[in-house]
Amino acid sequence: ISYKKEPASSAGSFFARLHLMHDRIRTAVEDALRTLGAEGTSFAVEWPADLAHGDFATNAALAAAKALGKNPKEVAESLVPLIHESLGDLVTSVEVAGPGFVNIRLAPSTVTEIITNAAKDAGWGKGDAQIGERVMVEYSCPNPFKEMHIGHLMSTVIGEAVARVTENTGADVLRDSYGGDVGPHVAKALWGLREKGITEPTTAKEQGDAYAHGSRAYEESPEAKAEIDALNRAIYDGTDRELMELWRKGKDVSLAAFRELYRILDTHFDYYFFESETAAPGIEAVRRHIGDVFEESEGAVIYRGEKKGLHTLVFITSQGTPTYETKEIGLAYVKEERAATDTVLILTAAEQIGHFRVVHAALEDIAPLLGAKTTHIPHGFLRLTEGKMSSREGNVITAAGLIERVLERASEKNADPLVAEQVAVGAIKYMILRQAPGGDIIFDEEKSLSLEGDSGPYLQYARARALSVISQADGSGEMSAPENNYALEHLIVRFPEVAARAARERAPHHVTQYLTQLASAWNSFYAEERIRGGEHEVYKLRVAQAFVNTMTRGLWLLGIPTPDKM
């Protein structure tokens, strides 16, 4: 099912005009290449790393040199006047750089127009590339009967940011979380609760302790192992009323704890899916394809992934119970039945890459359309100085525990409890989102709360400082812009494309890195320019407002709170 429709009219949309600027430059380069006889050359239009080199740069000359039989610099020298003529007064310079790059600098009037509109538009940076598309993003996915640990915190923070940068393109985003409410871990937790005589579980920690107790007993005692295996089968069967009542109570306790964490993290879910509801459709789908996709082996049902360069996995055990893989197949069908979409994104830890490759291969074999629209986004681990942790051993650092630790430190410098919570959440999220999703992160509590740079509070404080400057000025006086734009303005111009890139690549760290650079530019602007009472005061305040709007939208994309005072 496709939900794509014609985009809403973009007439008057400044964001559209800005992207027309990027497209205008690309078109000018394409026309110039065609004139030189290199039509169809693949090239990039990007930003120079150093603002001194201009606002845009293209490698078109290097890309076309071989086809034209010339050296890149010679091609670049031929491209420059053609590109400049095409762009006209939108730019002030088009120059050859290095071995054959072409750098393009926007005219001050062009930058001023962008800044003026950015200062007026609270939705500055919002795009329309995916208007009409429905995207489901699955993330967080903690298992009931265990406490949410920092791995799930990692998934929650990255997943929410991926959802937001996708929403920023105009897509209709549906958020879902998928939890394991059946399976061996649940049986171990319920066995542990029974062993402790607990019939009314009240806290997530209580259940986490029971799970750790059951896990140890499962490894150490054959009798306990047999009892837990029997409980596992009974849970799937669902006919033992007393057992299922304890199961329901325990699940409710876990979900209440998860929702409180989601409130703090400013995350919500449109759908909660559970393994108890995906097992049956998964088993049905797998059994329906025994012989053509799956095969029976020693009483189990397996998928031989070697035919696709993968490995063999069991989908239904010899005891007749489904594995995680079969439940994932069932989940794909349940999602499509509940909320048909154009794209499904699934975020999990990188350790599950191999697992998802096999599941995806099997899904493509039995349901090609579902397989084609599903993408797995792996993320790394969040590591603390305490070393390796395991919920099985009961020494896990929970998400709630880490938030509480950082909140305690944030409260030392922020007396307002709300601001302290906002700073703590910003500190944690920034540290997770500062690099590409696939990499591991060493979490440094002290560095995370620093106001000196490369931290969430650093960004929050830069925004709060700009708001303070604006609030203390009356904004009266004549508008006059300086002859040359400030470096801060040239960075603000880049924001919409940074946001669009983060969505295209499903990589929110592009926004994090950009905002860090932007905050640094603001601090330099603040230190070097007399904003209130100085020359061009009204225009400088406009630049400050454009910065605030950019930072506000950028922090929203990351899910980082925006306290107005710190």
Side-chain angles (χ1 to χ4, degrees), residues 231-542:
L231 274 183
N232 189 31
R233 292 189 295 271
I235 294 168
Y236 278 109
D237 183 56
T239 58
D240 184 329
R241 291 187 178 182
E242 182 182 331
L243 175 65
M244 298 314 293
E245 182 63 20
L246 181 60
W247 175 78
R248 279 188 287 272
K249 290 177 180 178
K251 182 176 174 179
D252 288 344
V253 168
S254 292
L255 294 182
F258 297 160
R259 288 191 177 101
E260 173 58 17
L261 286 171
Y262 294 147
R263 180 196 65 77
I264 294 171
L265 296 171
D266 194 18
T267 296
H268 74 277
F269 291 98
D270 303 290
Y271 296 91
Y272 287 92
F273 298 109
F274 297 101
E275 290 184 6
S276 58
E277 59 186 328
T278 64
I283 290 173
E284 180 185 355
V286 169
R287 290 200 180 281
R288 190 167 59 243
H289 288 277
I290 292 176
D292 60 336
V293 175
F294 302 95
E295 64 180 79
E296 294 182 293
S297 175
E298 299 180 2
V301 179
I302 66 172
Y303 178 83
R304 295 200 182 278
E306 285 78 5
K307 59 188 176 184
K308 293 189 176 181
L310 303 170
H311 56 278
T312 294
L313 278 180
V314 174
F315 275 69
I316 300 177
T317 70
S318 58
Q319 296 182 355
T321 56
T323 61
Y324 292 116
E325 290 75 17
T326 289
K327 295 168 193 173
E328 290 285 351
I329 294 292
L331 176 61
Y333 282 96
V334 171
K335 282 184 178 180
E336 188 68 10
E337 180 182 339
R338 300 264 183 92
T341 53
D342 297 296
T343 303
V344 174
L345 306 178
I346 300 175
L347 284 90
T348 73
E351 63 183 346
Q352 297 190 40
I353 290 176
H355 153 82
F356 265 94
R357 283 176 178 166
V358 176
V359 170
H360 193 249
L363 184 62
E364 287 181 319
D365 287 345
I366 66 175
L369 294 180
L370 293 182
K373 72 177 186 178
T374 302
T375 299
H376 178 226
I377 303 174
H379 62 76
F381 291 99
L382 182 63
R383 303 186 186 280
L384 306 181
T385 55
E386 287 82 351
K388 191 172 183 180
M389 297 155 291
S390 168
S391 55
R392 178 180 301 173
E393 298 299 325
N395 67 340
V396 68
I397 299 298
T398 65
L402 178 61
I403 292 172
E404 184 61 32
R405 281 165 48 166
V406 179
L407 177 58
E408 185 177 345
R409 281 177 172 256
S411 298
E412 295 172 1
K413 296 183 179 180
N414 298 276
D416 186 325
L418 175 59
V419 173
E421 182 176 286
Q422 291 175 319
V423 169
V425 170
I428 292 170
K429 288 193 172 187
Y430 181 95
M431 292 296 285
I432 291 173
L433 295 170
R434 63 202 287 262
Q435 64 186 46
D440 290 351
I441 292 169
I442 304 297
F443 188 84
D444 184 326
E445 287 184 32
E446 185 173 351
K447 184 177 180 180
S448 75
L449 290 164
S450 171
L451 291 178
E452 300 304 316
D454 200 22
S455 74
Y458 176 70
L459 304 188
Q460 292 170 318
Y461 186 64
R463 175 184 175 277
R465 174 181 280 179
L467 280 173
S468 177
V469 170
I470 294 169
S471 68
Q472 293 176 35
D474 59 20
S476 61
E478 294 184 4
M479 169 65 72
S480 63
E483 183 177 344
N484 295 310
N485 301 113
Y486 304 108
L488 175 62
E489 295 180 81
H490 288 277
L491 277 179
I492 291 172
V493 166
R494 298 180 177 184
F495 175 56
E497 182 53 35
V498 171
R501 181 185 179 188
R504 283 194 308 271
E505 299 180 11
R506 291 151 186 164
H509 74 285
H510 291 307
V511 177
T512 313
Q513 294 172 355
Y514 164 79
L515 293 182
T516 305
Q517 185 182 12
L518 184 69
S520 176
W522 158 258
N523 287 333
S524 295
F525 176 73
Y526 178 81
E528 296 168 5
E529 300 292 336
R530 184 181 178 188
I531 300 176
R532 288 183 288 109
E535 190 178 10
H536 310 300
E537 176 183 348
V538 175
Y539 185 76
K540 289 176 182 176
L541 288 171
R542 179 176 293 178

Side-chain angles (χ1 to χ4, degrees), residues 95-258:
E95 300 172 336
V96 177
F101 289 98
V102 174
N103 289 346
I104 301 166
R105 180 176 296 279
L106 297 177
S109 59
T110 303
V111 175
T112 297
E113 182 190 5
I114 293 172
I115 295 302
T116 298
N117 282 275
K120 294 178 181 177
D121 186 5
W124 157 247
K126 186 172 175 59
D128 56 12
Q130 289 183 271
I131 285 180
E133 294 185 32
R134 277 165 62 99
V135 179
M136 181 170 278
V137 185
E138 176 189 310
Y139 60 98
S140 190
C141 304
N143 290 325
F145 301 94
K146 292 183 180 181
E147 290 187 86
M148 187 189 294
H149 59 69
I150 57 175
H152 295 122
L153 177 64
M154 186 99 157
S155 175
T156 303
V157 170
I158 297 173
E160 178 63 28
V162 168
R164 292 189 183 204
V165 297
T166 304
E167 279 182 326
N168 197 58
T169 66
D172 178 14
V173 173
L174 304 175
R175 295 162 170 81
D176 83 273
S177 182
Y178 176 52
D181 62 340
V182 292
H185 80 279
V186 178
K188 291 171 184 175
L190 295 184
W191 184 90
L193 288 173
R194 283 182 161 184
E195 279 289 297
K196 293 173 179 287
I198 299 173
T199 58
E200 296 287 340
T202 56
T203 68
K205 185 179 187 308
E206 187 177 50
Q207 297 192 135
D209 291 343
Y211 165 74
H213 176 56
S215 292
R216 287 191 295 268
Y218 191 84
E219 299 294 333
E220 299 168 0
S221 167
E223 293 80 9
K225 182 178 186 301
E227 291 174 4
I228 291 170
D229 285 340
L231 274 183
N232 189 31
R233 292 189 295 271
I235 294 168
Y236 278 109
D237 183 56
T239 58
D240 184 329
R241 291 187 178 182
E242 182 182 331
L243 175 65
M244 298 314 293
E245 182 63 20
L246 181 60
W247 175 78
R248 279 188 287 272
K249 290 177 180 178
K251 182 176 174 179
D252 288 344
V253 168
S254 292
L255 294 182
F258 297 160

Side-chain angles (χ1 to χ4, degrees), residues 52-130:
H53 296 159
D55 295 290
F56 294 94
T58 179
N59 66 344
L62 292 118
K66 185 175 181 180
L68 293 174
K70 299 179 179 180
N71 69 65
K73 195 163 187 177
E74 184 181 357
V75 176
E77 289 170 348
S78 299
L79 286 174
V80 162
L82 297 172
I83 295 172
H84 204 160
E85 181 181 4
S86 177
L87 294 175
D89 59 7
L90 289 174
V91 300
T92 53
S93 67
V94 181
E95 300 172 336
V96 177
F101 289 98
V102 174
N103 289 346
I104 301 166
R105 180 176 296 279
L106 297 177
S109 59
T110 303
V111 175
T112 297
E113 182 190 5
I114 293 172
I115 295 302
T116 298
N117 282 275
K120 294 178 181 177
D121 186 5
W124 157 247
K126 186 172 175 59
D128 56 12
Q130 289 183 271

